[in-house]
Structure formats: structure tokens, C-alpha cells
Amino acid sequence: MIIVTGGAGFIGSNLIRALNQRGESNILLVDHLVNGRKMHNIADLDIADYMDKTEFIEQIEKPGFLSGVRAIFHQGACSATTEWDGQFVMKNNYDYSKRLLHSCIENNIAFIYASSASVYGNGEHGFRVDRSCEQPINMYAYSKFQFDQYVRRVLPTTTIPIVGFRYFNVYGPREQHKGAMSSTTFHFNQQVIAQKKAKLFEGCDGMANGEQQRDFVYVDDVVDVNLWFLDHPEQRGIYNVGTGKAETFNAVANAVIAWHKDGCIEYIPFPEHLKGVYQSYTQADISGLTQAGYTKEFLSVKQGVTKYLDWLNLGVR
């Protein structure tokens, strides 16, 4: 059996879809369906069982509960970067992850988990998987950073496959439940349909309008990386998962407009509350993936946006 926590979420549901395509349906999906609309992410998936996160946490340390489990993809977390209840965030993201990690070690189960590029803070020190680059600036990022630190200490003490992925700006199918936290591609698509305009922030940090850059990575590429490491248990550690190439928000908006063959860009004032805490530039250093042996090319923004909008607007599956 394979367990996917956060299995009804964005990346988790896409992981299960890919596992199904491999012929794998002996899957335990763990989630916390307070937002019942996430069921649309999993209605077409084949799983063996569903378990609420609360019950799962109560069970994981009981003898025999994880018997026969091959791997755990741990995607479940409080992902709100605006949540400042530190006790809540650390309980859900740090303590939960530690308990699950140790259960995997005790039961010889591969542990593949979601970290975050948010650990790099404003990115002023770069985006390498190195302590000198890591400076989280919110509670979510700190919880991810601190668990990565814990993993670094544990790795030399065990031989089980342990892999953490620092996701950059992931976009693609099955993210619509995230609302305001959905990707810019999703929002630009909605805006062009409704108003024939994609709304971008004006320039900041010395950059021209819409020229802020992010490492936008398509969710299928993220899933491919996860499954490659499942197939290569000899590779262990923490890795950035992005394309390794920063692209502008203008490029994303123009790709959406090109797909629709209609629309234009409208620049709106840069929000006051984001000044000084906004990432104007991110670009993953993916040398770790290359050194591990992962060589598949990542989709560009133009390729990924086209594929996503075919799914979103035309139902191409």
C-alpha cells in the first residue's frame, strides 16, 4: 500500500492520479475534508480507503497499523502563509511530520514529503539547498524550514529513503479549491474570461510593470519528480523542485491571452501591505536533482499554461 496525506489537495490528488495511471490503486488517502469541495479533486481517482487526518494521526504509532505500507507521500499541512498561530502551525506541520517520519523509520517505509521554497524568505541569499540561503519570514515557512533541519539531523542515522521537496510556484489542474491561493494562471484565466483583462501588479523593487519573476513549475513535472524518487530509493535528501528558470508574470499573462486569442493586460497599483515582504524573484537551483540523476526537461510557462488551460477550459484529460 501507498499512503498519500493531503491526498485531496492540489499536489496530493495529482500524485494519486499518476499512481492510478501506473496501475496502483492500493492507496490510503488521508485528508481533512472540512472544505468538501475538494471532493471534486478525487471523484475520478481509485483508492483503497480514505481516512481523516485526525484519526490517522491517532493510529500511526499503533503496532501493525503501517504493516504492508511501501511508501508515504506526506503532502498534508497547514499551507496558509498568513496563519500566525504558531502553536497551530507547528503542531500541524512540524510535530505531525516528525511523528510520521519516525513511524516510517521504525517500519522501513519510504518517506517522501513536501517542503517549500518559502524557506528562502525574500531570496536575498539565493535559492540553493544550503543553510546560508534559508531565512523564513512567516510561520508556515518556519515550520517547513525547521522540519528540514530535523530531517538533516536524522538522515545519517537511518538508511530508509527520506526525500524532501522544496516546491516553487506550482500550478495546474486540481487547484481550484484553493481560492485566493490558486495560481496566477488560474486567476488570469478567470479574469480574461470575465473581463478580457489579466490584472498584474505594477512594478516593484526596481522592476518594470509585470516583470517580477518566479520559477513557475507545472504540477505534472512535480509529480514526475516525486515518482522518480520513489523508483530510486538510493537517492535521499532535500531538493528544490522548480524549472530552474525564472519567468515573468507578463509571460504567464501573455500565455493565457494567447490561448484565448483575446484579452489584454491591465496593471494595478502594487498593494501597500506587500511592500517589503514580496518575492520579486525566485529561481530554483536544481543542481541537486541533476546530481541525483533526474534529467527530464521541465515545461516552460508557455507549454504548461497551454496544457493547463486545455484541461481547465476544454476538459482535455
Side-chain angles (χ1 to χ4, degrees), residues 283-307:
Q283 180 171 286
D285 177 338
I286 57 172
S287 58
L289 289 181
T290 304
Q291 291 165 10
Y294 187 83
T295 57
K296 185 176 179 181
E297 287 289 318
F298 290 87
L299 295 182
S300 67
V301 158
K302 184 177 181 180
Q303 292 168 323
V305 167
T306 299
K307 189 174 182 180

Side-chain angles (χ1 to χ4, degrees), residues 210-230:
E211 286 297 294
Q212 300 93 335
Q213 300 176 66
R214 297 283 178 83
D215 193 329
F216 299 100
V217 57
Y218 193 63
V219 69
D220 285 357
D221 287 333
V222 169
V223 168
D224 285 345
V225 172
N226 274 266
L227 295 183
W228 188 90
F229 276 86
L230 176 67

Side-chain angles (χ1 to χ4, degrees), residues 101 105 111 113 148-164 235-239:
L101 170 61
I105 292 171
F111 182 72
Y113 74 95
D148 283 350
Q149 287 287 79
Y150 190 82
V151 166
R152 283 167 167 157
R153 289 191 292 273
V154 169
L155 266 170
T157 70
T158 180
T159 58
I160 72 157
I162 301 173
V163 185
Q235 300 300 331
R236 308 161 74 240
I238 298 169
Y239 301 87

Side-chain angles (χ1 to χ4, degrees), residues 1-7 12 15-16 19 26-30 51 56-57 59-61 65-76 96-114 147 160-165 167 226-227 229-230:
M1 174 174 276
I2 292 175
I3 297 175
V4 181
T5 72
L15 267 169
I16 295 174
L19 288 166
N26 190 18
I27 300 166
L28 172 62
L29 189 162
V30 178
M51 183 175 286
F56 179 68
I57 292 173
Q59 296 289 330
I60 55 176
E61 289 160 351
F65 176 68
L66 295 176
S67 177
V69 174
R70 171 185 167 203
I72 295 180
F73 289 97
H74 182 38
Q75 308 297 308
Y96 174 21
S97 299
K98 283 202 305 179
R99 290 177 61 187
L100 196 50
L101 170 61
H102 283 288
S103 293
C104 286
I105 292 171
E106 291 168 11
N107 291 276
N108 197 31
I109 298 167
F111 182 72
I112 302 172
Y113 74 95
F147 184 64
I160 72 157
I162 301 173
V163 185
F165 294 128
Y167 299 140
N226 274 266
L227 295 183
F229 276 86
L230 176 67

Side-chain angles (χ1 to χ4, degrees), residues 90-140:
M90 292 302 281
K91 180 179 179 181
N92 280 274
N93 294 1
Y94 183 64
D95 294 341
Y96 174 21
S97 299
K98 283 202 305 179
R99 290 177 61 187
L100 196 50
L101 170 61
H102 283 288
S103 293
C104 286
I105 292 171
E106 291 168 11
N107 291 276
N108 197 31
I109 298 167
F111 182 72
I112 302 172
Y113 74 95
S115 182
S116 170
S118 66
V119 302
Y120 299 117
N122 61 19
E124 64 180 336
H125 300 297
F127 300 93
R128 301 186 317 279
V129 182
D130 186 273
R131 180 66 184 92
S132 64
C133 299
E134 298 157 7
Q135 188 65 47
I137 57 175
N138 57 54
M139 270 308 309
Y140 167 75

